[in-house]
Amino acid sequence: WLRADLRLADNPALTAAVERGGPVVVAYVLDEASEGLRPPGGASRWWLHHALQRLGTALAERGQSLVLRRGRASDAIAALVRESGAGAVFWNRRYGAAERRIDGEIKATLRDAGVAAESFQANLLFEPWTISTAAGQPFRVFTPFWRACLGALPPRPPLPGPPDWPAAAALPSDRL
């Protein structure tokens, strides 16, 4: 399940899905319905259109397809799991309060249904909870934050694109 991480390389969720073995459904859900999410503006929609188009082309070159859905992410992911018979759903983390709440609820619902659900660090060099003051609080000043980052273990190196994987059965795709 891809969100702002519309790329094949350096995508831990996609890499984990491919390494699990078997077919992988690559999906994007345009969620403008979940509570607390800010709807994308014109420039964001322009970027999204072109990024999805490029990703779809890159997937097609590998014999894969991109499934596009629209609506509440919880509903769309549940429907995709039912339609595909997926045994796992992987995604890269988001860090806004509403996004974390939505993702946490989806993860709990999937796990309760017996579906493996995992999220991965992909869009930040350090997870927000791994760099903190000596008192365990978030930094409020950049320079001490930067020093703490320099003293931390180095971030993981970028991942290559995953190797080829078996194509999943075709699923219907909504137009965004």
Side-chain angles (χ1 to χ4, degrees), residues 98-110:
E99 290 87 349
R100 289 181 64 197
R101 178 187 50 76
I102 292 163
D103 292 355
E105 290 169 2
I106 291 170
K107 187 180 280 187
T109 300
L110 289 168

Side-chain angles (χ1 to χ4, degrees), residues 1-5 7 11-13 90-96 99-100 103-104 107 111 117-124 126-130 156:
W1 171 28
L2 305 182
R3 286 87 75 82
D5 47 3
R7 60 187 184 270
N11 192 321
F90 298 134
W91 63 87
N92 295 320
R93 291 188 195 105
R94 302 181 291 181
Y95 298 95
E99 290 87 349
R100 289 181 64 197
D103 292 355
K107 187 180 280 187
R111 288 179 173 172
E118 295 297 329
S119 61
F120 298 87
Q121 177 185 351
N123 298 313
L124 301 176
F126 300 99
E127 299 274 29
W129 48 88
T130 63
R156 67 165 175 76

Side-chain angles (χ1 to χ4, degrees), residues 127-144:
E127 299 274 29
W129 48 88
T130 63
I131 303 292
S132 59
T133 66
Q137 298 298 312
F139 283 95
R140 296 175 186 251
V141 178
F142 179 77
T143 302

Side-chain angles (χ1 to χ4, degrees), residues 10 22 46 52 57 63 69 87 103 111 117 129 135 138 170:
D10 200 27
W46 180 90
L52 288 170
T57 299
R69 298 292 170 95
D103 292 355
R111 288 179 173 172
W129 48 88

Side-chain angles (χ1 to χ4, degrees), residues 38-107:
R38 195 175 102 196
S44 294
R45 287 181 181 280
W46 180 90
W47 173 86
L48 178 62
H49 168 78
H50 292 285
L52 288 170
Q53 198 171 47
R54 283 190 303 275
L55 178 63
T57 299
L59 286 167
E61 289 170 354
R62 292 173 159 245
Q64 304 293 331
S65 61
L66 175 61
V67 176
L68 303 174
R69 298 292 170 95
R70 177 182 228 147
R72 287 174 34 100
S74 57
D75 297 338
I77 295 301
L80 278 168
V81 167
R82 280 191 308 274
E83 293 168 26
S84 66
V89 178
F90 298 134
W91 63 87
N92 295 320
R93 291 188 195 105
R94 302 181 291 181
Y95 298 95
E99 290 87 349
R100 289 181 64 197
R101 178 187 50 76
I102 292 163
D103 292 355
E105 290 169 2
I106 291 170
K107 187 180 280 187

